[in-house]
Amino acid sequence: MGDIAPADLGVCDAHDHLFLRSPLLPGQELADAAAAAAELNAFRAAGGAAVIQWTPYGMGRGATELPCLARESGVRIVAATGLHQAAHYTPELLDRIRPDLAGLFVAELTEGIGETGPRAGMIKVAGGYHGLDAHTRYTMAAAAEAQHATGAAIGVHLELGTGALDVLELLCGELAVPPDRVILGHLNRSPDLVVHRAAAEAGAYLAFDGPSRAHHATDWRLPDALAALSDAGFGDRILLGGDTTTAGARSVNGGPGMPHLLCRHRERLELTLGKDLVTRFLTTNPARAFAATWARTGGGG
């Protein structure tokens, strides 16, 4: 619906999905606009005000649906450009967009997604499991070029939470992206407190997302990880998100969904960390992490 002043972002789910499609998740597509609307309404009822959708190019972002959903729900939505791991795409699609990938990202940030979609507000890319393959390096180079052109934040899917320091070495070292423009996602899935602190010391933002996934060590180890970071002076680096990736995980389909972040999960964190600190994770930090100013060169709204 247009630019959002950082101070107006409000309580923010810093990493989630209203729409998502991938050959790796057959039959679990997030493609139903009515279900997305119901999920946003449930999130709003739980006290939510904004959602950052990390769904990148070619994965069914539902870009044309987002303005209406935002308007009717009263929840601010930030869309993404960028590219995920190669496994989520056909070789033909990758061959088609590869020659000017950075140009695609910049156009979606400054002009709009497709013919009538909104402008993107962040760039999403992905690392590999404990490593960075050729696709990752090419995609991150394009993301860095787009970041330099616009100032947009780059959100990084870390496969099972691994490779954070490799990503920072590439993006911030070789490609000269300011570390405070990098948001490392899924760090809860690899609860390595040494890596968490090193990433925070480098200046990156750390996203702990996907609560309710017990097999990812998300909930029961998270309070200790966040307390360690906060005690070390890095409470201003922490973001929280829901990362709903399948239809069955939506609250309207019986799963935890977006409201879980602001209900049971938030309550649990507040018992350990206190309300003020958790509120900062959900408000002040995302407002700063995603804030950027770049020229609008065309339509898109």
Side-chain angles (χ1 to χ4, degrees):
M1 294 174 62
D3 293 338
I4 303 169
D8 294 337
L9 196 64
V11 174
C12 180
D13 178 342
H15 179 177
D16 225 312
H17 303 274
L18 292 164
F19 297 95
L20 181 70
R21 180 185 66 245
S22 169
L24 301 185
L25 297 170
Q28 284 292 327
E29 294 81 3
L30 298 177
D32 185 338
E39 195 73 0
L40 282 173
N41 289 336
F43 176 71
R44 181 69 172 173
V51 173
I52 314 297
Q53 173 169 266
W54 284 38
T55 310
Y57 179 90
M59 294 187 67
R61 289 173 286 184
T64 58
E65 303 282 354
L66 298 181
C68 180
L69 287 169
R71 188 178 304 111
E72 293 183 354
S73 68
V75 176
R76 298 175 176 88
I77 302 171
V78 177
T81 186
L83 210 65
H84 212 311
Q85 297 163 334
H88 293 282
Y89 305 97
T90 64
E92 293 77 16
L93 183 148
L94 293 177
D95 288 343
R96 176 167 55 82
I97 64 175
R98 186 177 296 274
D100 189 18
L101 196 56
L104 171 64
F105 296 166
V106 171
E108 293 197 333
L109 289 161
T110 60
E111 299 172 16
I113 297 170
E115 296 297 323
T116 59
R119 284 174 291 138
M122 56 94 69
I123 307 164
K124 154 75 171 283
V125 291
Y129 182 60
H130 286 291
L132 307 176
D133 61 16
H135 172 83
T136 293
R137 289 182 175 276
Y138 187 88
T139 302
M140 289 191 180
E145 186 176 338
Q147 194 285 322
H148 292 314
T150 63
I154 300 175
V156 183
H157 165 98
L158 298 177
E159 186 66 19
L160 295 181
T162 66
L165 303 185
D166 297 305
V167 167
L168 292 178
E169 184 176 279
L170 175 60
L171 282 177
C172 305
E174 297 179 31
L175 300 172
V177 174
D180 66 351
R181 296 287 77 203
V182 177
I183 300 167
L184 300 169
H186 306 324
L187 283 167
N188 48 283
R189 301 182 188 181
S190 180
D192 186 329
L193 302 188
V194 174
V195 170
H196 293 177
R197 179 157 179 168
E201 288 176 343
Y205 284 93
L206 283 60
F208 296 84
D209 43 56
S212 78
R213 300 178 187 179
H215 61 294
H216 284 159
T218 301
D219 293 0
W220 64 278
R221 300 190 71 167
L222 189 58
D224 289 342
L226 300 187
L229 283 168
S230 300
D231 290 345
F234 299 114
D236 62 344
R237 301 284 96 190
I238 295 169
L239 307 175
L240 301 176
D243 192 31
T244 308
T245 58
T246 62
R250 278 181 163 153
S251 66
V252 295
N253 292 329
M258 291 182 179
H260 180 76
L261 176 69
L262 302 182
C263 297
R264 296 300 184 197
H265 191 55
R266 182 177 187 173
E267 292 169 2
R268 191 166 186 275
L269 292 179
E270 287 177 347
L271 288 173
T272 305
L273 305 171
K275 290 186 178 181
D276 290 346
L277 187 56
V278 177
T279 297
R280 191 198 314 176
F281 298 163
L282 291 166
T283 56
T284 308
N285 292 358
R288 187 175 58 249
F290 292 99
T293 301
W294 60 80
R296 178 177 178 179
T297 62

